[in-house]
Amino acid sequence: MRTALPVLAMTLLAGCSGETTSRLATPVEITGDEITAPLLGLQGDAVRGETVFADREQGHCVLCHAVEGLDAEFQGNVGPALTGVDARLNEGQIRLRVADIQSLWPDTLMPSYYRSGGLNQVAPAYAGEPALTAQQIEDLVAYLGKLDGERT
Ligand code: HEC
């Protein structure tokens, strides 16, 4: 696992005021290692989020992440298991990691799903378009935010 140091450094650099980044598909304010506001003000749906997570045509997060109890044929372990992820990350932290994890760790294997430019690991056909829509990302945030079954 990573140390918290890079994130801490960024938090200090960004201060408390927040910064708007233009490398994402729509203007998004990043504060420290969080995107606190829902993308485009959209409301996420955890049930849809589970589908985005598992579906090969959508997020296909199961390629690299496992979730206990998820009904999916194959679940990978390239990334950390996400069962209970909401006990270690808050909603805003989860949102930034799904939207643009490469802004935290440029060399990570995980794609930045809401970037519209400078994408790594995305087929040319998708250049210019984010890999997931704002709604799909909010659905994932809602789903991942409920994985320990304790918080709502
Ligand atoms: C190609 C593999 C890969 C795919 C696909 C992938 N991830 Fe990741 N993910 C990772 C890796 C690796 C990390 C750990 C970050 C690091 O150390 O590079 C990570 C970290 C995360 C984290 C932070 C977890 C923590 O405990 O800090 C979240 C949340 C996350 N991924 C969600 C998702 C979601 C949602 C999707 C699908 C839209 C997804 N990931 C797709 C590889 C992947």
Side-chain angles (χ1 to χ4, degrees):
M1 271 289 100
R2 308 265 169 169
T3 74
L5 274 178
V7 171
L8 181 63
M10 276 192 196
T11 308
L12 293 175
L13 282 177
C16 300
S17 57
E19 270 179 18
T20 304
T21 174
S22 59
R23 68 185 220 157
L24 298 182
T26 58
V28 168
E29 184 167 302
I30 296 179
T31 307
D33 72 333
E34 295 183 40
I35 299 172
T36 48
L39 300 177
L40 302 178
L42 293 166
Q43 170 113 37
D45 178 291
V47 175
R48 279 199 313 250
E50 181 176 311
T51 305
V52 177
F53 192 86
D55 192 325
R56 194 178 279 274
E57 302 297 323
Q58 300 189 52
H60 205 209
C61 317
V62 291
L63 190 65
C64 296
H65 294 286
V67 166
E68 217 171 279
L70 176 68
D71 183 17
E73 258 173 51
F74 169 85
Q75 301 194 37
N77 62 3
V78 172
L82 294 179
T83 314
V85 65
D86 60 323
R88 47 180 199 270
L89 298 176
N90 68 30
E91 185 188 297
Q93 290 173 314
I94 293 175
R95 186 175 289 110
L96 176 58
R97 281 152 182 76
V98 181
D100 191 8
I101 197 165
Q102 292 173 5
S103 70
L104 297 175
W105 302 304
D107 59 346
T108 182
L109 291 172
M110 179 166 156
S112 282
Y113 287 93
Y114 201 55
R115 276 188 75 174
S116 56
L119 287 166
N120 295 331
Q121 300 146 4
V122 166
Y126 296 104
E129 292 290 328
L132 292 176
T133 64
Q135 184 65 65
Q136 286 173 316
I137 290 176
E138 288 308 319
D139 293 346
L140 284 168
V141 171
Y143 171 61
L144 295 173
K146 290 190 164 103
L147 286 183
D148 74 2
E150 282 169 22
R151 299 194 195 174
T152 49

